[in-house]
């Protein structure tokens, strides 16, 4: 299972935030990639972290 976010430019890594006790995942919400609770977007969503003005990706 993916457990970190990584910068697309410099390989900086960051822990994925938890929601409802489990790591969030990336899902498209209203046409935009967001971090979403494992229980779905109605429970919790959060902007993707950015670094070097680019969204971080899951590894």
């Amino acid at each position: 299972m993916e457990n970190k976010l990584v910068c697309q430019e410099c390989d900086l890594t960051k822990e994925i935030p938890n929601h409802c006790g489990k790591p969030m995942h990336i899902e498209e919400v209203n046409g935009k990639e967001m971090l979403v609770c494992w229980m779905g977007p109605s429970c919790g969503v959060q902007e993707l972290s950015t670094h070097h003005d680019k969204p971080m990706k899951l590894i």
Side-chain angles (χ1 to χ4, degrees):
M1 175 175 264
E2 297 120 344
N3 59 2
K4 295 201 184 267
L5 294 168
V6 65
C7 175
Q8 297 182 57
E9 292 253 337
C10 70
D11 294 329
L12 172 92
T13 59
K14 179 178 174 180
E15 293 295 320
I16 294 174
N18 285 338
H19 200 274
C20 294
K22 294 187 180 183
M24 298 178 90
H25 66 278
I26 295 176
E27 189 174 311
E28 193 169 303
V29 177
N30 297 324
K32 184 177 180 183
E33 284 191 335
M34 305 280 287
L35 286 169
V36 176
C37 176
W38 67 276
M39 292 181 65
S42 62
C43 185
V45 295
Q46 183 176 322
E47 293 278 331
L48 271 173
S49 298
T50 59
H51 199 252
H52 296 286
D53 296 321
K54 293 182 181 177
M56 296 179 86
K57 297 289 182 182
L58 285 176
I59 58 169

